[in-house]
Amino acid sequence: VQLQASGGGLVQAGGSLRLSCALSGSALEYYAIGWFRQAPGKEREGVSCISSSRGSTESDRPYYADSVKGRFTISRDNAKNIVYLQMNSLKPEDTAVYYCATDGNQCDFDVHQGYWGQGTQVTVSS
């Protein structure tokens, strides 16, 4: 399994970005995909996750960290093998490198995931 994150960039506060996480080497429908972020000098933290479409107790269930609830939306397109993270009302404190990751079909925000994509930088200016 390989993951590739993309879509980061520079945006003003209040703006929006959409991140993409493309999975290759297997079928996305069997995997939960999580988004994590790491700001300079801070620990990596879980942002959002969507459970798998097949094999999990609750298919396609989204999870969000409290800090992004109501602003971020996670979704998946199994036909394209891509998970999206729509980020609206961005704040300077959302600035970080964003990573996608998977560790099976259930969501968790444990940073010890089995597979990681490379990071994509999100910078929100004030």
Side-chain angles (χ1 to χ4, degrees), residues 9-17 37 39 42 45 65-72 86-98 121-126:
L10 173 64
V11 65
Q12 289 187 332
S16 299
L17 283 174
R37 67 186 181 187
K42 294 188 177 181
E45 62 175 358
D66 289 342
S67 59
V68 306
K69 279 181 182 176
R71 300 188 297 123
F72 291 11
Q86 178 67 44
M87 306 187 296
N88 297 330
S89 302
L90 283 162
K91 305 175 181 179
E93 51 263 45
D94 294 318
T95 295
V97 179
Y98 284 70
Q121 177 71 47
V122 172
T123 303
V124 184
S125 63
S126 56

Side-chain angles (χ1 to χ4, degrees), residues 15-38:
S16 299
L17 283 174
R18 188 177 75 163
L19 305 184
S20 298
C21 177
L23 183 147
S24 59
S26 190
L28 177 64
E29 62 186 345
Y30 296 104
Y31 293 90
I33 301 294
W35 284 98
F36 296 76
R37 67 186 181 187
Q38 189 165 19

Side-chain angles (χ1 to χ4, degrees), residues 6 17-22 28 33 35 48 50 64 72-78 80-87:
S6 61
L17 283 174
R18 188 177 75 163
L19 305 184
S20 298
C21 177
L28 177 64
I33 301 294
W35 284 98
S48 182
I50 186 166
Y64 300 98
F72 291 11
T73 302
I74 192 169
S75 62
R76 64 193 301 142
D77 185 335
N78 291 330
K80 295 182 178 179
N81 261 25
I82 297 176
V83 168
Y84 300 101
L85 184 67
Q86 178 67 44
M87 306 187 296

Side-chain angles (χ1 to χ4, degrees), residues 15 47 80 107 109:
V47 174
K80 295 182 178 179
C107 276
F109 284 155

